């Protein structure tokens, strides 16, 4: 499963590079602590001068628990957003300042 996941990320990075070469934007989202951020292809993409890594918390965009006793409660879910759009990176940089599910 890991090999398939790595191949998928490598494929996506190729697509992002094609989009940039054609003058288009891309957006990649993964949890902040995902090991995919440490893949060589991702590190190389992140080092591109026009690419930014924004960090934001999903609760700031309305993420909520979908079931169980916490249904409807905000979900923090720290996420990384890799993009070559400064405007998108700015919008997706909102961090939670709340505590115990209170945003």
């Amino acid at each position: 499963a890991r090999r398939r996941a790595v191949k998928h990320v490598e494929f996506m990075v190729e697509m992002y590079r094609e989009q940039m070469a054609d003058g288009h934007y891309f957006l990649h989202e993964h949890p902040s602590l995902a090991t995919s951020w440490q893949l060589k292809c991702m590190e190389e993409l992140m080092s591109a001068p026009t690419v930014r890594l924004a960090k934001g918390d999903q609760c700031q965009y309305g993420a909520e628990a979908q079931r169980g006793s916490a249904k409807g409660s905000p979900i923090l879910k720290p996420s990384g957003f890799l993009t070559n759009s400064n405007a998108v990176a700015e919008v997706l940089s909102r961090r939670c300042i709340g505590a115990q599910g209170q945003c």
Side-chain angles (χ1 to χ4, degrees):
R2 177 162 167 76
R3 274 194 310 256
R4 283 194 308 265
V6 169
K7 288 289 183 196
H8 176 72
V9 171
E10 290 172 343
F11 171 75
M12 294 310 303
V13 168
E14 286 180 39
M15 297 295 99
Y16 300 151
R17 289 193 179 281
E18 282 186 29
Q19 286 176 279
M20 289 191 308
D22 290 342
H24 302 291
Y25 296 115
F26 76 90
L27 175 62
H28 175 87
E29 180 272 334
H30 258 168
S32 287
L33 299 178
T35 58
S36 58
W37 295 113
Q38 299 165 10
L39 295 174
K40 182 180 179 187
C41 63
M42 288 301 291
E43 289 177 341
E44 289 173 350
L45 181 61
M46 286 188 280
S47 71
T50 60
V51 174
R52 283 186 57 193
L53 175 61
K55 294 187 178 186
D57 297 318
Q58 294 287 340
C59 59
Q60 299 301 294
Y61 305 98
E64 297 179 342
Q66 298 300 304
R67 59 181 83 126
S69 62
K71 184 174 181 173
S73 297
I75 296 176
L76 181 68
K77 192 182 177 191
S79 298
F81 301 96
L82 194 65
T83 184
N84 60 332
S85 167
N86 288 330
V88 169
E90 188 67 32
V91 169
L92 295 176
S93 294
R94 291 179 23 196
R95 302 305 302 257
C96 182
I97 58 171
Q100 299 178 356
Q102 303 298 315
C103 295

